[in-house]
Structure formats: structure tokens, C-alpha cells
Amino acid sequence: MNLTVIGTGYVGLVTGACFSEMGNNVTCIDVDIKKIKNLKKGIIPIYEPGLEDIVLKNVKNNSLHFSTKLSDGLSNADIAFIAVGTPMGDDGSADLQYVLQVAKQLGQEMQKPLIVVDKSTVPIGTGDKVAAVIQKELDKRGVNIDFHIVSNPEFLKEGAAVQDFMKPDRIVIGAKSDIAFDKMKDLYAPFTHNHDRIITMDIRSAEMTKYVANAMLATKISFMNEVANICELVGADVNQVRIGIGSDSRIGYSFIYPGSGYGGSCFPKDVKALKKIAEENGYKANLISSVEKVNDRQKMVIANKVVKRFGQDLSGKTFAIWGLAFKPGTDDMREAPAIYTIKDLVKRGAKVKAYDPKAIEEAKSFYLKDIKGITYFNSKYETLENVDAMILLTEWKEFRSPNFEELKLQMKNSIIFDGRNQYSNLNLEKKGFEYYQIGKKA
């Protein structure tokens, strides 16, 4: 099929690249001239395992194209995917200005029947708004062109997005017409060759499914972090509790690992948006509000442990930070616990020596660029010389089995604050460390 994907951010680029990998002719559109020039040169704006390879391969095969002009992708397109950003507004709602701008442009420029797919995470009812905007522009032109609206939310995990797209758990398609359902099923057929994972529903239910999925996962995380904090107070070990409850098939082990809170581009934004959607419809979402409050508090849990150990004034103290990204496998630092921890430590007078395998440039250029007192290093061991403690905030694989003798040799104090409980089963106290983790008294 001929596809156009509008927006070359995380979702749009992965979507376009993966569809081209399956033999479709894909044109990705973006208003960012520099980004498009770089993509044409093979420079990928985000880190995502496997993405660069399939982009370069399909650009070379002439099945993946990039342009700043919508007309370049729309002239022969069977399906147009809207994958632009829906940033969070000041009131917590999703900002639809970019989605509706694209809808307006589609109405102004489309020349033949088209399936229009909302791939962005959008509030319930957005499909109706997109349809209305497109129809308004067609009416202005005095033309009658058939189009069909589809909601096809993405369920991609950062760090495994390509794998998730190529081997999806489910493909949710919300539409009103058999024409739209049939076209989308044909498009996704190569991804469901071994097992039919397509779930069809109405548009509003598809829009809601995305929000509920992320809110449910966020709820599990916040619930377990709340349990971890209670465990510390009563003298229980949350790591043992996790095993005890996870063995129940009704609960399972996924997303019940205690830590320093969730971050990223989806969970924080989508939880706020769902809460706002409820409020706009006259309902107070108490549980969802609590999920957010618990997470906001949890992002400070490691900083609070440091203060409890070293005191309110951290002047003259230096801390090694292992991990800046909100999770391993990505350079994304949006709402990362590291941001909150580092800012609090520096505010109290401390100096920070930081390392992350992928996110250092993001920290330098945006998230921590105005924060003084931070030095960045090219390896985890370089951060350790003469530090008062090491703080682990992202569970990268390379952090799982460090040389603990090297840590003791370089650090001023053999103290570890583990914001992801990576070392909870290693008995570090017996190795001569002061060890602070989530959900267990030190």
C-alpha cells in the first residue's frame, strides 16, 4: 500500500519504518526541516534499538521517504496516519492543536478517497473532531471525497518499540465502516500471520483503550511503590512480598517492581489526561489521582534517603549517578526520576558525577542544561573517584553486575543508594557496603 505518516517523532518514525519493512511504500512528513534533512542523510533523531537499521535499509530500497510537504505523501496515499505530538496542556489535558492542524491540511489537500488514522494518543472524541475539520475543508473546496476515520492507538514500549510493532500483542482498530476495517486488516495482515491479534471496536472505545492501558500499568507501579514505603516502616522486605504476590496468576510479576517512580512520554501524560477527561465529564477519578500523587512523591524517595543519611546540607558532598534515562533502552529523559533527584541534591549544595549509556546528550542539551554542579563521564567507573555514595537510577544491563571491589577501591565511602533495587539479592552489606534500597529498612 501507499502510506503517509505525518509526524516523525517516536511513534511516527517507528510506524513508518516498520510499515516500509513489510513492503509498503511510505512517506513520512514533518514540518521540522532540519529533522527531515537529517533523516534523508540517515541521521536518526532518537535512540531506539533496531530502528536505525530498518530506516537506512528501507531508504536505500526506496520504500521509505521523507518530506516536509504533505502533498508529496498524499498524492498516492491509501492511508494517512496522524502521528504528531499531543503535549500536555497546563490543565493536564492533551493539546490537540497539532492533530487538528493536520486534519485541516488533509481536508485542504486530499484528492482521492482516504483512510485517516489517529495514531497519536488522543482524548475520547478526537475522531469526531478530526472528521468534522476535514469535512469542513472539503465543503469549503466544494468537493465530495470519501474519507474514513480510524483510531489505531500504539502500544510501543520505549527500548523495544520495533520489536513491539513487528510482533504486536494486539492491534486495536476503531472505526465505523467496513471499508476502514477491511483496509486496516489488510495493512496489518503481515504482522498477524501466525495469530490474529486484531481487535475491532468503535472509535471512542479504541481511543479510551490506550489511556486505560497506560493508566492500569501506572497504577500497578504506584501501588507497589506505596506498598514498598509501608514495608520500610513495618520492617518487611518488599522484594519478598513481590515474589509472594506475583506467584498469584491473577496478579503476575509484571509492573510490580518497586522503584523511584515512572517517567517517560506516556504514563505521566496519559494519567493526567485520563483524570482530566473524567473531570470534564463530571466524574472525580480518585484512584487515578492517587496514582499520580504517589508517583510524584516516589520520584523524591532516593533524594530523601540521601538527606536522611547525610543531612539537609550536602555542601562538600559528591555523588555518582548511574542512569539518567527514565528506563533502559532509550535516551528519553522525560519525567525521569534522575531529573528530580539530581536537582534536589544540587540545590542542597552537592556535586554530581553522572553517566548514562545513551542519555547524556539529552541531559546536557535540555533536561539538566542549566543545572550547575554536574559533570558527565563516558563510563560508570569514571564517576566513582572519591564520591560519598553511588546512586543507581536506571536499570541498564551494564549496571547489573559491576565490579564491587572496584567501587570500594574508588569511592570515599562504600555507600549505594539503589533506586531500582537492582542489587537487593546480593547481600551487599556482607561485602562491606552501606546499602539503601526501596521497600526495606537499611
Side-chain angles (χ1 to χ4, degrees):
M1 291 189 197
N2 292 313
L3 313 176
T4 187
V5 179
I6 303 133
T8 59
Y10 180 81
V11 173
L13 188 56
V14 172
T15 298
C18 290
F19 276 135
S20 69
E21 179 74 1
M22 287 300 186
N24 297 286
N25 184 55
V26 181
T27 302
C28 291
I29 309 295
D30 204 293
V31 295
D32 189 328
I33 297 172
K34 182 179 178 181
K35 183 189 285 188
I36 292 298
K37 284 183 177 179
N38 284 338
L39 283 166
K40 288 180 176 180
K41 295 176 184 176
I43 301 172
I44 311 301
I46 58 173
Y47 172 73
E48 183 63 41
L51 181 59
E52 183 176 3
D53 291 342
I54 62 173
V55 169
L56 296 178
K57 172 187 171 184
N58 288 288
V59 167
K60 185 177 180 180
N61 290 346
N62 206 35
S63 58
L64 181 60
H65 318 273
F66 298 101
S67 177
T68 57
K69 296 179 180 179
L70 180 59
S71 56
D72 289 345
L74 205 55
S75 57
N76 295 312
D78 303 299
I79 303 175
F81 286 87
I82 301 176
V84 294
T86 53
M88 185 169 59
D90 293 336
D91 61 355
S93 63
D95 187 345
L96 287 177
Q97 62 172 314
Y98 304 115
V99 171
L100 298 180
Q101 282 176 11
V102 171
K104 182 176 181 179
Q105 202 172 356
L106 287 171
Q108 292 170 342
E109 298 194 27
M110 60 188 287
Q111 301 296 328
K112 68 185 191 68
L114 188 67
I115 306 292
V116 179
V117 182
D118 280 326
K119 197 70 175 171
S120 303
T121 300
V122 293
I124 293 79
T126 299
D128 295 336
K129 293 180 180 180
V130 169
V133 169
I134 293 174
Q135 189 60 57
K136 182 179 179 181
E137 295 304 316
L138 291 175
D139 292 344
K140 285 182 181 179
R141 292 166 58 191
V143 296
N144 184 22
I145 303 174
D146 285 339
F147 67 93
H148 303 268
I149 302 296
V150 171
S151 175
N152 175 218
E154 53 84 16
F155 300 99
L156 307 177
K157 299 186 295 291
E158 292 195 48
V162 172
Q163 180 181 345
D164 287 346
F165 200 103
M166 302 302 279
K167 297 180 179 179
D169 292 327
R170 78 283 208 197
I171 298 165
V172 172
I173 300 172
K176 293 181 178 179
S177 70
D178 289 338
I179 292 173
F181 280 127
D182 290 344
K183 199 76 169 179
M184 294 299 289
K185 286 179 179 179
D186 288 346
L187 176 63
Y188 276 109
F191 302 92
T192 61
H193 186 70
N194 295 325
H195 179 66
D196 186 5
R197 297 178 175 86
I198 293 176
I199 304 169
T200 59
M201 57 184 71
D202 63 87
I203 293 174
R204 288 185 174 231
S205 295
E207 292 168 341
M208 187 68 168
T209 296
K210 170 64 175 179
Y211 280 115
V212 174
N214 280 347
M216 182 68 214
L217 296 174
T219 299
K220 292 185 74 174
I221 293 170
S222 282
F223 175 79
M224 205 61 200
N225 283 332
E226 186 116 279
V227 168
N229 296 334
I230 297 170
C231 283
E232 281 195 42
L233 296 173
V234 301
D237 182 350
V238 73
N239 303 295
Q240 295 181 30
V241 173
R242 176 183 60 80
I243 295 171
I245 66 170
S247 58
D248 186 327
S249 60
R250 297 170 300 175
I251 298 173
Y253 291 104
S254 298
F255 286 84
I256 62 168
Y257 288 82
S260 302
Y262 58 77
S265 62
C266 294
F267 288 7
K269 178 168 68 74
D270 292 353
V271 168
K272 286 180 182 293
L274 186 56
K275 183 178 73 169
K276 183 64 177 178
I277 289 167
E279 290 173 357
E280 290 174 345
N281 287 274
Y283 183 80
K284 187 176 181 180
N286 292 324
L287 177 58
I288 295 170
S289 297
S290 296
V291 168
E292 182 182 33
K293 289 177 183 178
V294 169
N295 192 63
D296 289 344
R297 184 176 62 200
Q298 198 68 15
K299 287 178 180 176
M300 298 302 299
V301 70
I302 288 295
N304 292 339
K305 287 178 181 290
V306 171
V307 169
K308 186 176 181 180
R309 171 61 177 78
F310 289 100
Q312 296 282 344
D313 185 359
L314 298 177
S315 300
K317 304 297 182 185
T318 303
F319 299 96
I321 300 287
W322 285 12
L324 298 169
F326 87 95
K327 64 178 286 189
T330 181
D331 60 355
D332 193 345
M333 282 187 65
R334 282 173 285 188
E335 295 295 319
I339 298 171
Y340 298 87
T341 303
I342 290 171
K343 284 184 176 181
D344 190 69
L345 298 182
V346 170
K347 181 181 71 175
R348 296 176 183 277
K351 292 183 178 180
V352 168
K353 301 165 76 173
Y355 167 71
D356 187 283
K358 296 295 178 183
I360 287 177
E361 288 305 316
E362 288 290 301
K364 285 182 178 179
S365 61
F366 188 72
Y367 294 99
L368 297 171
K369 71 174 183 177
D370 295 325
I371 307 299
K372 297 179 180 179
I374 306 176
T375 308
Y376 299 94
F377 292 84
N378 295 320
S379 79
K380 58 182 181 289
Y381 293 118
E382 290 178 3
T383 65
L384 297 174
E385 186 177 357
N386 211 34
V387 299
D388 292 279
M390 185 272 274
I391 301 171
L392 187 146
L393 293 172
T394 314
E395 61 274 34
W396 288 96
K397 287 182 180 179
E398 69 170 89
F399 298 158
R400 290 182 183 176
S401 299
N403 184 337
F404 287 106
E405 291 304 314
E406 182 71 16
L407 268 69
K408 290 174 68 175
L409 186 65
Q410 291 206 45
M411 297 167 66
K412 181 190 297 183
N413 304 308
S414 299
I415 301 174
I416 293 176
F417 293 89
D418 187 350
R420 296 299 178 186
N421 284 15
Q422 284 290 282
Y423 311 133
S424 60
N425 62 341
L426 297 182
N427 292 317
L428 288 184
E429 293 86 352
K430 292 184 178 179
K431 299 179 187 290
F433 285 90
E434 257 184 73
Y435 178 58
Y436 298 88
Q437 58 180 302
I438 310 292
K440 184 182 178 183
K441 278 185 179 179

